[in-house]
């Protein structure tokens, strides 16, 4: 396959960026999207040019590092698929592909296609943990958890923190991410003692980081590679309303005991 790539190049955060055109002439349909970029970068390096900076780590759809907007869609538009798991057979020979970084005020560009997502880390630090000494592994039936709650918590825990939900949202809202991280703990008995404090602290941190409000457009759910459901946002809103009604001030916490 031969492809034309329009790639966002930006040397650093405070400098303006621009699209540059590259021809990818040796693309195999079975390559992953990131492998295709690797080949383009090898060509650029061979020509003495600066390679395209992009994030990746596991390349197995589990770490959330890969973060590209492809043809206007975070992760490229293959439902339930990260960029690293998308293959070039989804494109046609001769296609022009536009590649951009996540675009949100809370995710400033570091270089080219790499953005700073430490805002998500600070939201987790605000409350995404359980403050107990877990000790050794308990007997499986020592703490009963209803099957439907275990399944729901597991669905929420599938969030890989990639940030595509923010990149897709016209408000740059992080509600789907925060809801998943709140609910996978709040739903389980182990997470209930800190439920109120957790939801208030994480929502407060989300607001401080400059993410926008949720207007329930559903764009986040549509692009989420782990297909996290909008229902978790409704659950988090309910937990938040209950916590506010109880009136307990959130305690600032940093880190958690494992
Ligand atoms: S909710 Fe989905 S899109 Fe958002 S960070 Fe988690 S996995 Fe990524
Ligand atoms: S590189 Fe880990 S999810 Fe894509």
């Amino acid at each position: 396959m031969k492809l034309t790539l329009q790639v966002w190049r930006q040397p650093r955060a405070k400098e303006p960026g621009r699209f540059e055109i590259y021809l990818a002439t040796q693309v195999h349909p079975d390559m992953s999207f990131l492998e295709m970029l690797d080949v383009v970068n090898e060509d650029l390096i061979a020509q003495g040019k600066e390679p395209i900076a992009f994030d990746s780590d596991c390349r197995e759809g589990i770490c959330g590092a890969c973060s590209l907007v492809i043809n206007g869609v975070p992760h490229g538009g293959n439902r339930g698929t990260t960029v690293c798991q998308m293959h070039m057979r989804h494109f046609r020979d001769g296609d022009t592909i536009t590649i951009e970084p996540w675009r949100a005020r809370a995710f400033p560009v570091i270089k080219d296609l790499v953005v700073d997502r430490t805002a998500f880390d600070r939201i987790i630090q605000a409350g995404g943990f359980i403050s107990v000494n877990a000790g050794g592994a308990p007997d499986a039936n020592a703490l009963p958890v209803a099957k439907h709650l275990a399944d729901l918590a597991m669905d929420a825990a599938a969030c890989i923190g990639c940030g595509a939900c923010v990149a897709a949202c016209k408000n740059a809202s992080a509600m789907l991410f925060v809801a998943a991280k709140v609910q996978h703990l709040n739903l389980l008995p182990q997470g209930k003692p800190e439920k109120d404090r957790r939801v208030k602290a994480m929502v407060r941190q989300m607001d401080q980081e400059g993410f926008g409000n949720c207007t329930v457009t559903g764009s986040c759910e549509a692009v989420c590679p782990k297909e996290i459901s909008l229902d978790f946002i409704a659950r988090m809103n309910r937990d938040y309303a209950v916590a506010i009604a109880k009136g307990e001030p959130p305690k600032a916490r940093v880190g958690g005991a494992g």
Side-chain angles (χ1 to χ4, degrees):
M1 298 165 74
K2 290 191 172 74
L3 300 167
T4 303
L5 308 180
Q6 294 190 112
V7 184
W8 184 258
R9 303 299 309 262
Q10 186 170 342
R12 55 191 64 81
K14 300 231 183 286
E15 277 188 40
R18 69 202 174 283
F19 282 106
E20 287 190 3
I21 309 283
Y22 301 96
L23 296 179
T25 54
Q26 302 194 24
V27 180
H28 193 280
D30 291 336
M31 280 177 174
S32 75
F33 198 88
L34 299 187
E35 285 167 345
M36 181 274 293
L37 284 180
D38 289 340
V39 171
V40 171
N41 271 347
E42 280 166 17
D43 281 351
L44 289 173
I45 291 166
Q47 295 168 37
K49 295 182 179 161
E50 183 78 13
I52 301 160
F54 64 92
D55 249 345
S56 76
D57 189 356
C58 71
R59 300 201 175 195
E60 293 181 335
I62 54 175
C63 75
C66 56
S67 48
L68 305 178
V69 176
I70 299 168
N71 291 338
V73 183
H75 287 303
N78 284 311
R79 201 165 176 91
T81 307
T82 54
V83 172
C84 60
Q85 293 279 282
M86 183 166 69
H87 290 86
M88 297 314 296
R89 54 182 169 269
H90 293 292
F91 299 90
R92 279 189 242 138
D93 188 26
D95 273 356
T96 297
I97 304 175
T98 305
I99 310 170
E100 299 170 75
W102 285 177
R103 296 200 189 273
R105 186 161 51 119
F107 289 160
V109 170
I110 295 173
K111 183 176 181 182
D112 296 342
L113 305 171
V114 180
V115 299
D116 180 353
R117 282 173 290 181
T118 52
F120 271 11
D121 298 336
R122 289 187 289 274
I123 292 171
I124 296 296
Q125 285 171 346
F129 51 82
I130 291 172
S131 303
V132 293
N133 185 346
D139 288 342
N141 58 357
L143 190 60
V145 180
K147 172 79 166 72
H148 73 284
L149 289 180
D151 287 348
L152 260 183
M154 195 65 197
D155 288 349
C159 168
I160 54 175
C162 62
C165 44
V166 175
C169 177
K170 68 185 172 84
N171 309 317
S173 169
M175 284 285 273
L176 195 64
F177 163 77
V178 178
K181 295 302 178 190
V182 165
Q183 289 305 316
H184 88 98
L185 296 173
N186 277 18
L187 283 163
L188 296 175
Q190 297 94 328
K192 293 236 184 273
E194 293 170 296
K195 183 166 165 281
D196 297 340
R197 187 171 65 209
R198 172 178 304 114
V199 70
K200 285 194 288 191
M202 291 178 77
V203 167
R204 185 179 54 176
Q205 189 65 37
M206 173 182 76
D207 291 342
Q208 283 174 3
E209 296 292 348
F211 293 105
N213 286 323
C214 174
T215 48
V216 203
T217 63
S219 56
C220 53
E221 187 187 70
V223 301
C224 174
K226 298 300 157 184
E227 301 185 293
I228 303 291
S229 167
L230 276 180
D231 293 350
F232 287 115
I233 295 180
R235 286 177 174 275
M236 181 175 75
N237 283 340
R238 194 162 58 227
D239 283 359
Y240 186 76
V242 168
I244 292 293
K246 286 184 186 170
E248 296 163 355
K251 288 182 190 157
R253 302 288 301 253
V254 177

